[in-house]
Amino acid sequence: MAAAPGAKGANWKQIYSRTKLASGLVLFTFLITHLLNHALGLISLDAMNAGNRLYGALWHTWPATILLYGAAVLHPLLAGFSWLRRGHYRRIHWQGWTQLLLGLCIPPLVVEHIFGTRASEAALGLNVSYAYVLIVLFVEQPLLGLKQNLLVLIAWGHGCIGVYYWLRMKPFYQRGWPFLYAAALLLPALAMLGFVSGGREVAHLMQQPAWLEQFRRELNWPGPVAGEFTAAFTQSAYWTMTALLAIGLAWRLAKLLLQRRGGSLAISYPDGRRYRGAGGSVSILEASRAIGYPHASICDGQGRCSTCRVRIFGPGAALLPPPDAAEARVLERVQAAPGVRLACQIRPRGDIAVVPLLPAGVLPKIAYGAASHAQGSERRIAILFADLRGFTKLSEGRLPYDVVFLLNQYFKAMGEAVDAAGGRLDKFIGDGVMALFGIDEGADEGCRRALNAARRMAAALSKLNEALKGDLGQSLKLGIGIHCGPAIVGEMGHGAALHLTAVGDAVNTASRLESATKEFGAELVISEEVAERAGIADAKTAGWQQATITIRGKSEPLRVLVGTEVAALRF
């Protein structure tokens, strides 16, 4: 069977992305074990050596050595390629720049340590122990020790930012980030304290001639050749890194020159702004940043979060390659409509117009888990509106503090009732409440839950009246309207005000039913569809009254069931 269009590119992009992530995680795991071994110095030098034996059993085998040093070579090369292939470097988050700068500092600082320890151990038969490392870095060359500890902190900061970018879209991150943050601060602090404690113990042991003589015998020091070996290979490594950096910058410059010769394109935005540049030179997300257009992107262009997705129009849309496997999975996860693509994954070659589908201030929780709602869809749901009767008159003459206190008590009681019934509290409107039911469970279950919420709300208000009867002077009364029908459900709003809500004719009808409770002098009015879906077979026997009302804008009257007191109804 023939491969799907773009499948070959998809495979390479997936291999690249996964290799970069996997190599970074290997290095981060190595760093964690290294810091833990340092932290054992808080116990004793013997504890550090015991930990070092376990550490060596884990990392000094040939398979682990190949994995570790393979990751050490691959990760900076892949990360460097990722930065060099960017179309623009504008409006990158400060975390991204910090991670880049820290990453650039690591290779020059780490090579001397590698050739002075692991490489010397393998090539010259040097018996590297924690005592040797502490004598060199803490006692004899404290400035070198300061540089190596700075290296550990730089590598740790770089790795933590990378892990943050990887995990922040996961559903558990919002619950687990305080623990991860505490660990990120605590582990390097314990490691530095362990290093100082171990160094002080070694400095004390060096005052004992017998211990120092035994240490020298076990070290198997090869003489001046050790220093020459380290210096020669370190210098070679520096020249290699400089050459690779020069090659990368030259490739970047050549790529820009070739792209400028490949034709131009225009990317148009809803507010009239337009990006003009070379075809295929930038992704849509990079174009947005180049002109300062606010564009959501939680994963910073890694193609994992879906928040940068756009709807694409124009003649250049036909020139776009189909989504690769990774992009297709993300689009499928959010149930994207035809014509929707990830802005970070496509580099247009012809004129297009784009409409970003999420606001720039979108929260991380939208990127994962509830993403299907963020896209927006039509669903048949139950909508409940509730409103206090006569509260405006009741609040007259009261102090603002008293009014706020009463409303907050009321909102708390209503919100808990909706939650207990399995609904989704949409918003408070003045002294009114809007709640949604059956978004994921279906319309029948939604109607049953909405009626259950109405019963709980009436009971909660009764308890609130009893608790506040000395302050109110009169009882609070509630009017509730429930309707079931098709509505557009999705994440709407901006910034912190972005939340899941519903719009449409069914919402307006539910609001009208709540208003009708005043006309009937009743606590609850529901549409006939709600009654049927909730399984209310005999309305009169259940305590309901049947009626019809006229909804503004509708030619046909709506048949409803009216409940004077919710507590007297059976459903």
Side-chain angles (χ1 to χ4, degrees), residues 240-270:
T240 301
M241 287 185 284
T242 303
L244 288 173
L245 181 60
I247 291 171
L249 293 175
W251 174 82
R252 166 75 178 178
L253 179 60
K255 180 183 177 184
L256 287 176
L257 293 175
L258 289 173
Q259 286 172 343
R260 288 178 180 177
R261 296 176 60 184
S264 62
L265 83 159
I267 302 177
S268 303
Y269 292 82

Side-chain angles (χ1 to χ4, degrees), residues 531-552:
E532 292 174 352
R533 289 184 176 275
I536 300 175
D538 190 339
K540 291 184 178 180
T541 303
W544 299 88
Q545 300 175 16
Q546 294 179 318
T548 58
I549 62 172
T550 302
I551 304 294
R552 186 170 55 188

Side-chain angles (χ1 to χ4, degrees), residues 77-156:
L77 289 177
L78 294 175
F81 176 72
S82 178
W83 277 88
L84 288 171
R85 71 186 295 267
R86 286 175 178 257
H88 279 278
Y89 298 97
R90 302 173 190 173
R91 299 183 181 272
I92 297 173
H93 297 151
W94 68 267
Q95 296 99 324
W97 285 118
T98 302
Q99 188 183 30
L100 173 64
L101 294 175
L102 293 178
L104 289 174
C105 293
I106 294 172
L109 290 172
V110 78
V111 291
E112 185 176 359
H113 183 66
I114 291 174
F115 288 113
T117 54
R118 184 74 177 96
S120 295
E121 186 178 32
L124 305 177
L126 188 65
N127 185 18
V128 176
S129 64
Y130 248 99
Y132 166 73
V133 174
L134 292 171
I135 287 173
V136 173
L137 299 183
F138 187 84
V139 179
E140 295 183 351
Q141 301 183 55
L143 289 179
L144 179 60
L146 180 62
K147 185 174 76 170
Q148 292 304 312
N149 279 293
L150 181 62
L151 163 65
V152 169
L153 294 177
I154 288 173
W156 182 250

Side-chain angles (χ1 to χ4, degrees), residues 263-269 273-280 282 284 287 313-317 348-354:
S264 62
L265 83 159
I267 302 177
S268 303
Y269 292 82
R273 276 185 268 189
R274 182 172 294 185
Y275 168 85
R276 294 186 182 277
V282 296
I284 294 175
F313 309 92
R349 296 187 175 275
D351 294 349
I352 59 170
V354 299

Side-chain angles (χ1 to χ4, degrees), residues 67-404:
L67 178 66
L68 176 61
Y69 288 102
V73 172
L74 277 175
H75 190 70
L77 289 177
L78 294 175
F81 176 72
S82 178
W83 277 88
L84 288 171
R85 71 186 295 267
R86 286 175 178 257
H88 279 278
Y89 298 97
R90 302 173 190 173
R91 299 183 181 272
I92 297 173
H93 297 151
W94 68 267
Q95 296 99 324
W97 285 118
T98 302
Q99 188 183 30
L100 173 64
L101 294 175
L102 293 178
L104 289 174
C105 293
I106 294 172
L109 290 172
V110 78
V111 291
E112 185 176 359
H113 183 66
I114 291 174
F115 288 113
T117 54
R118 184 74 177 96
S120 295
E121 186 178 32
L124 305 177
L126 188 65
N127 185 18
V128 176
S129 64
Y130 248 99
Y132 166 73
V133 174
L134 292 171
I135 287 173
V136 173
L137 299 183
F138 187 84
V139 179
E140 295 183 351
Q141 301 183 55
L143 289 179
L144 179 60
L146 180 62
K147 185 174 76 170
Q148 292 304 312
N149 279 293
L150 181 62
L151 163 65
V152 169
L153 294 177
I154 288 173
W156 182 250
H158 174 84
C160 285
I161 294 174
V163 170
Y164 162 75
Y165 275 122
W166 175 47
L167 292 181
R168 65 176 177 165
M169 295 175 296
K170 307 295 184 182
F172 66 83
Y173 181 77
Q174 294 302 314
R175 299 188 301 272
W177 78 263
F179 304 100
L180 297 173
Y181 186 71
L185 294 177
L186 188 60
L187 185 54
L190 292 176
M192 296 302 105
L193 291 173
F195 175 82
V196 173
S197 179
R200 294 179 63 183
E201 184 176 350
V202 163
H204 175 73
L205 290 171
M206 289 179 68
Q207 305 303 316
Q208 304 174 22
W211 182 90
L212 194 57
E213 181 62 29
Q214 182 182 359
F215 165 76
R216 286 171 176 166
R217 287 197 305 269
E218 293 175 352
L219 179 60
N220 192 30
W221 181 253
V225 68
E228 296 171 0
F229 172 84
T230 300
F233 279 93
T234 300
Q235 190 68 25
S236 298
Y238 286 154
W239 281 112
T240 301
M241 287 185 284
T242 303
L244 288 173
L245 181 60
I247 291 171
L249 293 175
W251 174 82
R252 166 75 178 178
L253 179 60
K255 180 183 177 184
L256 287 176
L257 293 175
L258 289 173
Q259 286 172 343
R260 288 178 180 177
R261 296 176 60 184
S264 62
L265 83 159
I267 302 177
S268 303
Y269 292 82
D271 64 355
R273 276 185 268 189
R274 182 172 294 185
Y275 168 85
R276 294 186 182 277
S281 62
V282 296
S283 68
I284 294 175
L285 179 61
E286 289 170 339
S288 300
R289 289 173 172 172
I291 63 171
Y293 187 87
H295 202 142
S297 176
I298 289 175
C299 72
D300 199 34
Q302 299 300 310
R304 296 196 296 263
C305 72
S306 81
T307 56
C308 70
R309 58 187 181 270
V310 294
R311 192 178 300 279
I312 299 176
F313 309 92
L319 302 176
L320 294 174
D324 60 33
E327 183 185 0
R329 279 197 303 271
V330 175
L331 294 173
E332 182 180 1
R333 189 185 79 209
V334 298
Q335 301 177 8
V340 173
R341 299 290 299 272
L342 299 186
C344 65
Q345 296 299 298
I346 50 177
R347 295 173 179 263
R349 296 187 175 275
D351 294 349
I352 59 170
V354 299
V355 179
L357 298 180
L358 293 178
V362 66
L363 300 176
K365 67 177 182 178
I366 305 303
Y368 214 93
S372 60
H373 296 320
Q375 177 70 24
S377 59
E378 185 176 71
R379 299 165 185 257
R380 183 170 288 273
I381 60 173
I383 306 103
L384 179 150
F385 275 88
D387 190 53
L388 279 177
R389 296 287 174 255
F391 185 78
T392 302
K393 183 177 180 180
L394 181 66
S395 62
E396 290 177 355
R398 292 181 178 272
L399 293 172
Y401 171 86
D402 293 332
V403 175
V404 171

